[in-house]
Amino acid sequence: MLKLAVIIILLLLGALVTKYLDEKSQQKILIGFGVLVALAVVGLMASELMR
């Protein structure tokens, strides 16, 4: 549960930073965040299933 909270906090901080970038950079970073969220969810699910 702590892992999930840390991931969410870091993503929220990253989203705040993207407000100050131009639109092209925002799109690239948001796609990157989407990929990171998907990987985090898959990793979390895999680690819970391995227990």
Side-chain angles (χ1 to χ4, degrees):
M1 199 65 182
L2 182 62
K3 292 179 200 176
L4 187 60
V6 170
I7 291 168
I8 290 171
I9 290 170
L10 289 175
L11 288 174
L12 288 174
L13 287 174
L16 289 174
V17 170
T18 59
K19 286 185 178 182
Y20 302 107
L21 299 173
D22 62 343
E23 287 185 22
K24 257 195 164 11
S25 296
Q26 281 182 351
Q27 287 177 347
K28 289 179 184 177
I29 290 177
L30 289 176
I31 289 171
F33 280 155
V35 170
L36 287 175
V37 168
L39 289 174
V41 168
V42 168
L44 186 66
M45 289 173 60
S47 69
E48 290 297 322
L49 289 173
M50 293 298 243
R51 285 191 203 181

